[in-house]
Amino acid sequence: MSGLSINAITKRFGDFAAVDDVTLAVPHGSFVCLLGPSGCGKTTLLRMIAGLEEPSAGAIVLDGEDITTLPTHKRSLGMVFQSLALFPHLTVGDNIAYALRIRGAPKQDQRKRVEELLSMIHLSGFADRPVTKLSGGQRQRVAIARALALSPKLFLLDEPLSALDAKLREAMQVELRQLQQRLGITTIVVTHDQREAMTMADLVVVMGKGKILQAAPPIEIYRKPADAFVADFIGITNLLPVETDGAGRSSVLGAAVPELACPSGTTKATISIRPEDVRLTTPGRGTLDGTVTFVRDLGGTIETFVEAGGMTITAVATPRERPDVQVGQTVGVLLPAENCVVVKS
């Protein structure tokens, strides 16, 4: 099968399973983000794909070839490390051409490939510049070009943008995604930044405690999270307790939500509702009433925090929709049933 197949991969360090029975299909040419908190197993999984760690069990297949035990240099992959690992004593061109030189490519072919890649990363004319004289974003581009010099089948990146400032990081996210789309190369990125994953990925793989908790397109992960952990990790959400009776009626924080459907036989559950789906209205006209405890104006959005039923509910609105509320004011909080997702706790 074309693409990357990870079949029941496990990695143990003693009695600890860093990656526990992970199976994942990555279609050829897709962009995948492995997302999760520190220690969830995402970097260990990437290192096994790269051949830098040996699996304790399972198999890794690339374009139909079992590469589980294949040495790293024979796997036809390019990799960008978190530290970038550029050679400080070499020029930009020599860094990019390093793998080609090691493979014995003619100098003319090396120069041609370096020029192609520098043009691709918008650094034409930088071949003779020392890498120590580059900005953070320029060094990032050079590391990407070096990894692509041998036209690999698979492109791996381990938190490649984490050292950049916020504005440059967002610009590089777009550039990296556009570059990947132009090349059509299968790409896997490890990140703990959910915004980064949402920006770049065709497929987001959320990991926790060595397992895949959910693998789906970004909008599905955001709108239909598999459980409370995924809902809370991807963006901001309100996780609220739900109680149901035998007749199928549901209530949130003691207030009835007539159209909210819970799984059959459920008496207690949790719903996730995104702040942008919560609406504030006049008292008595929402799902329940609450008291405004804080209002935060972030320019592009206004966040309103409301205490209701012993919990804090966050509502987000645009400046055009800005609610006319003040701290200490009683408001109605509307929780539309169609925007409430029942999740596993």
Side-chain angles (χ1 to χ4, degrees):
M1 184 180 73
S2 180
L4 179 71
S5 295
I6 299 168
N7 303 317
I9 281 290
T10 295
K11 178 62 180 179
R12 292 188 176 276
F13 296 97
D15 294 332
F16 174 68
V19 175
D20 189 5
D21 194 29
V22 164
T23 295
L24 179 67
V26 179
H28 175 77
S30 60
F31 196 122
V32 175
C33 277
L34 302 180
L35 178 67
S38 297
C40 71
K42 57 189 186 295
T43 294
T44 301
L45 178 58
L46 190 81
R47 288 176 62 82
M48 286 191 288
I49 296 169
L52 300 174
E53 294 282 358
E54 184 178 347
S56 304
I60 301 171
V61 179
L62 178 61
D63 290 345
E65 178 187 4
D66 189 333
I67 62 170
T68 311
T69 59
L70 203 64
T72 300
H73 67 279
K74 294 184 177 180
R75 294 193 179 203
S76 186
L77 58 84
M79 188 165 185
V80 176
F81 297 91
Q82 186 173 358
S83 63
L84 304 185
L86 294 173
F87 301 116
H89 61 289
L90 298 181
T91 64
V92 167
D94 288 340
N95 263 279
I96 294 173
Y98 182 79
L100 293 165
R101 182 167 63 82
I102 293 298
R103 296 287 180 92
K107 288 188 176 181
Q108 183 177 352
D109 292 349
Q110 292 180 39
R111 285 194 296 269
K112 182 179 179 182
R113 183 61 172 156
V114 167
E115 289 171 4
E116 289 175 355
L117 290 166
L118 285 174
S119 175
M120 186 183 301
I121 63 172
H122 309 297
L123 288 178
S124 295
F126 278 62
D128 295 326
R129 188 168 301 191
V131 292
T132 53
K133 301 297 183 182
L134 301 180
S135 68
Q138 289 169 337
R139 286 196 296 271
Q140 185 68 55
R141 292 187 181 96
V142 172
I144 289 170
R146 184 179 65 178
L148 296 174
L150 293 175
S151 300
K153 294 180 181 178
L154 190 60
F155 189 26
L156 309 177
L157 303 98
D158 186 7
E159 304 217 30
L161 311 180
S162 60
L164 304 179
D165 64 66
K167 189 171 183 179
L168 180 56
R169 184 166 65 246
E170 295 213 355
M172 284 300 301
Q173 290 167 8
V174 175
E175 283 194 27
L176 182 57
R177 176 56 167 156
Q178 290 175 333
L179 177 62
Q180 185 270 339
Q181 288 176 324
R182 288 202 302 272
L183 296 175
I185 185 172
T186 306
T187 300
I188 302 178
V189 175
V190 161
T191 182
H192 63 272
D193 185 334
Q194 57 89 17
R195 187 180 179 93
E196 194 165 289
M198 296 288 288
T199 299
M200 298 191 297
D202 296 308
L203 181 72
V204 175
V205 179
V206 183
M207 296 187 65
K209 297 182 179 179
K211 292 183 176 293
I212 292 178
L213 303 179
Q214 188 172 5
I219 194 62
E220 183 176 336
I221 291 274
Y222 187 78
R223 285 295 173 191
K224 297 179 180 179
D227 59 28
F229 177 87
V230 174
D232 194 40
F233 193 81
I234 300 292
I236 301 171
T237 196
N238 296 287
L239 294 173
L240 306 173
V242 182
E243 293 187 356
T244 64
D245 61 17
R249 291 183 289 266
S250 301
S251 63
V252 177
L253 299 177
V257 185
E259 297 178 5
L260 179 61
C262 288
S264 177
T266 300
T267 56
K268 292 186 178 181
T270 300
I271 62 162
S272 167
I273 181 168
R274 299 294 179 182
E276 64 269 25
D277 295 321
V278 176
R279 292 289 176 262
L280 301 183
T281 184
T282 54
R285 299 189 64 181
T287 307
L288 68 166
D289 290 345
T291 303
V292 176
T293 57
F294 188 66
V295 178
R296 180 164 62 177
D297 191 336
L298 299 176
T301 58
I302 295 95
E303 295 180 353
T304 305
F305 298 81
V306 180
E307 184 177 340
M311 299 190 69
T312 297
I313 299 174
T314 306
V316 171
T318 65
R320 185 175 298 175
E321 303 166 330
R322 184 187 183 108
D324 185 19
V325 298
Q326 305 293 329
V327 172
Q329 182 178 339
T330 299
V331 296
V333 181
L334 182 61
L335 308 173
E338 64 270 20
N339 299 124
C340 296
V341 180
V342 179
V343 296
K344 293 183 291 184
S345 299

